Structures are given as C-alpha cells and as structure tokens.
C-alpha cells in the first residue's frame, strides 16, 4: 500500500508540474518519498522542482544522491548541470556538460545547453565550436539557429539578424 500511495503522490506531482504549480509539485514529490524513499523518479522530480523553486542546494544534494547509484546517468547529469547553471555556478555547469559530451557527443540537447553557458560566460570560441558541431550534423532547428544568432549578436556581427530571421522562419514552418 505504501508503494501505491507513493506512486499516487508522484503522479499528482507530475500533474502539478505540468500545470506549472512548482511548489505544489514539490510537496507531492516529497510526500511520495515519505511513503517510499526508493522512488527514484520522485527523487529526480523533487530535485527538478527544487531547481524550479530556486532551492539549488537542496536540488544538487538530491541529484548527487541519485548519481551515487547511477553515476553515468546523462539525464541526471544534464539536470544537475542545469541546476548549476540556474544557480549561477556557470563554470561548474560547463564542466558537467563537457564531461557528458565526451562520452555522449550525439546528445544535442545537452550540447545546446552547453552553448548557452559558454555564451553567458563569454567564451565565444567554445560556443562556436559546439554550434558548428550541430550545424555540421545538420541540426538546423530553430534553437540551433537562434543560438548561432546569439553568438553573432554578442560578437557584434551583422549576420546575427540573418540567423534570427532563419530561426523565426524555421519555428513558424516557413523555410523560404
């Protein structure tokens, strides 16, 4: 019965997250764990809720607990890096992103997150390296095009406008 209640609270937490009720989600995930402390999905989503609620230390503590059991889990590593990024620990975030990318070079979403951090740090060379990697793989979605626009804009390059226009066209489905 405890497992059933844990699962029910976990599902309620997911519904709350979908609705953007992050504080409510946090309570549900914590309650799920009170019924079953081995509910890794509830632990992960509680950590995500903590990040969304700007409880970065609590979030990182949970991510580290999860990583002890599964140190190579790229989903948890990505979420931990995202937490570091949101908390302002940009250099720690980029170290995590780069280490995951060494073993998982095809993880495009993580690569895009890495670019965001490099752009914020101001390391345009490394941001450019990762954007070029995506473009060479023909990952030309609106997000990649936007990131290239950001890079060009931050370097005062007039081509930025072209990249932004391409991103908007791609997003709207108008690829002319």
């Amino acid at each position: 019965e405890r497992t059933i209640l844990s699962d029910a609270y976990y599902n309620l937490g997911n519904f709350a997250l979908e609705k953007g009720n992050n504080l409510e989600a946090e309570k549900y995930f914590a309650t799920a764990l009170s019924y079953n402390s081995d509910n890794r999905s509830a632990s992960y989503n509680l950590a995500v809720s903590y990040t969304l609620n700007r409880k970065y230390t609590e979030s990182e503590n949970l991510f580290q607990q999860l990583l002890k059991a599964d140190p190579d889990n790229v989903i948890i590593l990505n979420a931990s890096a995202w937490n570091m990024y949101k908390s302002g620990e940009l250099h720690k975030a980029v170290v995590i992103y780069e280490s995951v990318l060494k073993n998982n070079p095809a993880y495009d979403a993580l690569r895009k997150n890495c670019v965001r951090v490099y752009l914020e740090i101001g390391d345009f060379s490394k941001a450019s390296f990762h954007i070029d990697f995506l473009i060479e793989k023909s990952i030309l979605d609106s997000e990649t095009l936007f990131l290239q626009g950001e890079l060009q804009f931050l370097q005062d390059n007039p081509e930025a406008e072209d990249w932004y226009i391409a991103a908007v066209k791609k997003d709207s489905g108008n690829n002319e």
Side-chain angles (χ1 to χ4, degrees):
E1 184 171 315
R2 294 186 68 75
T3 301
I4 292 171
L5 288 171
S6 178
D7 290 346
Y9 279 106
Y10 168 75
N11 289 333
L12 288 169
N14 286 334
F15 287 128
L17 270 183
E18 287 176 20
K19 294 177 186 174
N21 298 331
N22 302 328
L23 288 172
E24 186 178 329
E26 179 184 321
K27 291 176 189 173
Y28 283 133
F29 294 131
T31 303
L33 288 170
S34 74
Y35 284 102
N36 179 6
S37 61
D38 294 329
N39 187 335
R40 291 180 48 81
S41 297
S43 292
Y44 175 83
N45 284 4
L46 178 58
V48 169
S49 296
Y50 282 152
T51 300
L52 293 170
N53 293 325
R54 297 186 174 123
K55 297 178 179 179
Y56 304 118
T57 301
E58 293 91 334
S59 179
E60 191 55 30
N61 289 340
L62 264 179
F63 284 134
Q64 291 307 312
Q65 286 177 9
L66 290 165
L67 287 167
K68 282 181 187 173
D70 191 1
D72 298 322
N73 186 311
V74 294
I75 294 170
I76 298 169
L77 287 164
N78 186 29
S80 174
W82 174 66
N83 180 62
M84 289 290 149
Y85 171 72
K86 296 298 281 181
S87 72
E89 299 278 351
L90 303 179
H91 292 284
K92 288 182 181 178
V94 85
V95 166
I96 296 169
Y97 285 136
E98 288 288 3
S99 69
V100 174
L101 285 170
K102 282 181 186 172
N103 296 322
N104 303 279
Y107 196 167
D108 298 329
L110 189 135
R111 187 173 299 279
K112 291 172 188 176
N113 290 343
C114 189
V115 168
R116 284 184 182 81
V117 177
Y118 279 130
L119 289 174
E120 195 155 326
I121 291 171
D123 190 334
F124 302 138
S125 173
K126 288 186 179 166
S128 181
F129 169 81
H130 288 291
I131 291 170
D132 290 346
F133 181 91
L134 292 166
I135 291 172
E136 286 172 18
K137 282 183 54 188
S138 296
I139 308 297
L140 298 174
D141 58 5
S142 61
E143 187 177 11
T144 300
L145 298 171
F146 173 80
L147 289 169
Q148 177 69 335
E150 281 291 284
L151 175 62
Q152 298 305 316
F153 176 79
L154 292 169
Q155 294 178 314
D156 294 322
N157 187 329
E159 290 180 22
E161 182 179 12
D162 295 334
W163 288 100
Y164 287 138
I165 290 169
V168 169
K169 284 182 177 180
K170 179 69 83 169
D171 188 54
S172 67
N174 180 4
N175 296 322
E176 297 175 7

